[in-house]
Amino acid sequence: MKTNWMLSMVVAVSAIALGATPARSTDLRSMVATPLTGTLEIEQDIPVCDNLDFTVGVTGGRMEIAPAGGLDENGNKLFMLTRMNVTFQAFSTDVSCLGSHDHRDFTDVEASLGQAVTFTGVAMGGGLYNFTIPKEAFVVYQAAIQNGESDTSFRHPSQDVTGSVNLTSGAVHLLHVHVVTGIHIDIGCCIHEDKAGFLDANIDGTLAFPDSDGDGVPDNLDNCKFTPNPVQLPRPITPVLTVPPNITLLSCLDRGFGMATATDICSGLPVTVANDAPLVFARGPNTVTWSADDGVDPKLFAPQTVTIDDQTAPTILSTPPDFTINNCRAVSDQELGTPTGSDDCGGAVTFTNNKPPIFFAGPTNVTWTAHDAVGNTSTTTQTVTVVDTTPPTVSCVATNPTGNGFRVSASDHCDVPVIRLGTYVLAQGEVVQIQETGQAGVTLVNNISNDGLRHFQVGKGQAVITATDAANNVSSAVCGK
């Protein structure tokens, strides 16, 4: 009689959480159960003779399940078995029937998970989660030494795998794994048959939660799992919020007041850090309130003082355009226009300028100064150019209605004009005697007469005084007119 034994098991479960209180954050490390306990039942039909039916025990093994505590999924839990090795008691089979005899020794019997497998545990209450895992989702590697020879294979279970996880006690019952087997029977001359059999594995374990801080208290029982607290003193305030030091800045728009940091020292949750700093600080002290929120613990608040010592000059946004005038004169503020500006601290920006009382020929720079509320200043320049095209004013007025004496004068806004009678230069306010004759041109009769006046003879209609300014603008006046 020949028998072909195939041992196979598939086991999968994951993320077993210990304790009645769910973990406050997902721990991606595995929980570990070792050693494992349980049984392996072996049953095989033998035609004519007695069937084989016996049970052997689990002698050890290791199960690793991640993440610790599982993942919440609509009130249920998502688990993953990442690793499992199970060893069984050695056993023998001894079949004698109709004169035929077969003896087999099975040693080093073990089964390993062929691939990680996930499943959903359905909440049953009290921390208990039942699950069913489709048989096609499992692959297991089985190995044994049969009569001194290696016997290995990869197999799927023949039925869906069932079991339970109890998060309150940490117990995992794994599972009812049913694997169909078969043997080929050769007995004597007449019996040559294939007969079915099966293996049923049931495995139990208690999972140990990670101890993140190494204080001897498993994370599921630890009231602060990332900070050593072996005697479980009252939970410290968490998250821990550290705000930047108080600081003085030189601008109301300066954002360089630092960044707070926060750590959830007990649960390792991500912490959202925020502050209520305004977009524009006020001059003087400002209180910035920082907050830390891990979404579970009470939100934590802490202040920082940001003092603004405003030393930032206002910004000039626009400067009036340069322009040109045609005479030397005063220019009103309305003609100049007005710059615009803004200040980092807000409030009005005022402007002053250094315009002269009179703008003279050529370019003159007008400096505009912007002032903020605390005296910070900035400047900009506007150019006003005088291109003199305006002639001077000139007069030649008779000093005596019946005589031939005349007083000459001239004025100009840009400079002192030159006064002439013909080619002769006259002084400002000078009194001259002019006598019209029949001879054309202008002739100086004598320099100074007995009466102290210069005497000129001019042709008919040539008693004309001219005034010329520095820009060569000319004006004239007829004496006696």
Side-chain angles (χ1 to χ4, degrees), residues 5 7 40-44 52-56 91 198-200:
W5 294 91
L7 278 178
L40 176 66
E41 181 182 357
I42 303 168
E43 185 171 324
Q44 179 64 56
L52 291 175
D53 187 358
F54 60 93
T55 300
V56 298
F91 62 91
F198 66 86
L199 307 174
D200 267 337

Side-chain angles (χ1 to χ4, degrees), residues 53-289:
D53 187 358
F54 60 93
T55 300
V56 298
V58 173
T59 58
R62 178 184 178 91
M63 185 186 302
E64 294 183 6
I65 300 167
L71 297 176
D72 293 329
E73 187 181 64
N74 300 323
N76 299 319
K77 289 283 186 179
L78 184 66
F79 300 104
M80 173 178 283
L81 179 65
T82 58
R83 175 185 173 187
M84 193 181 81
N85 300 96
V86 186
T87 58
F88 301 92
Q89 291 175 331
F91 62 91
S92 299
T93 63
D94 199 349
V95 178
S96 296
C97 186
L98 301 179
S100 296
H101 181 75
D102 184 87
H103 179 85
R104 294 182 180 271
D105 293 317
F106 292 87
T107 60
D108 298 326
V109 182
E110 64 180 62
S112 301
L113 188 67
Q115 64 182 23
V117 62
T118 62
F119 65 91
T120 298
V122 179
M124 307 302 294
L128 178 65
Y129 294 85
N130 289 343
F131 57 84
T132 299
I133 309 171
K135 59 186 178 182
E136 60 271 11
F138 292 83
V139 178
V140 70
Y141 175 78
Q142 67 85 26
I145 302 298
Q146 181 183 167
N147 287 345
E149 296 182 0
S150 176
D151 182 10
T152 63
S153 65
F154 285 93
R155 296 287 297 274
H156 288 281
S158 53
Q159 297 178 1
D160 290 343
V161 177
T162 60
S164 64
V165 176
N166 193 318
L167 297 183
T168 301
S169 64
V172 53
H173 176 60
L174 195 96
L175 303 138
H176 180 69
V177 183
H178 185 84
V179 180
V180 172
T181 64
I183 63 172
H184 181 75
I185 306 295
D186 290 320
I187 301 178
C189 65
C190 302
I191 300 177
H192 307 283
E193 298 182 17
D194 291 318
K195 285 294 184 179
F198 66 86
L199 307 174
D200 267 337
N202 291 276
I203 301 172
D204 294 284
T206 300
L207 292 164
F209 230 86
D211 181 10
S212 299
D213 52 21
D215 62 359
V217 182
D219 288 348
N220 66 306
L221 302 176
D222 200 335
N223 70 351
C224 189
K225 67 181 182 180
F226 291 113
T227 300
N229 188 18
V231 296
Q232 294 297 281
L233 296 173
R235 178 183 174 92
I237 295 176
T238 186
V240 173
L241 176 61
T242 302
V243 303
N246 296 337
I247 191 171
T248 297
L249 304 176
L250 305 183
S251 170
C252 295
L253 294 178
D254 196 337
R255 312 307 292 174
F257 51 90
M259 176 58 69
T261 58
T263 304
D264 186 352
I265 63 171
C266 283
S267 301
L269 294 168
V271 182
T272 300
V273 176
N275 66 67
D276 64 354
L279 293 177
V280 180
F281 286 109
R283 295 182 180 92
N286 298 259
T287 299
V288 175
T289 300

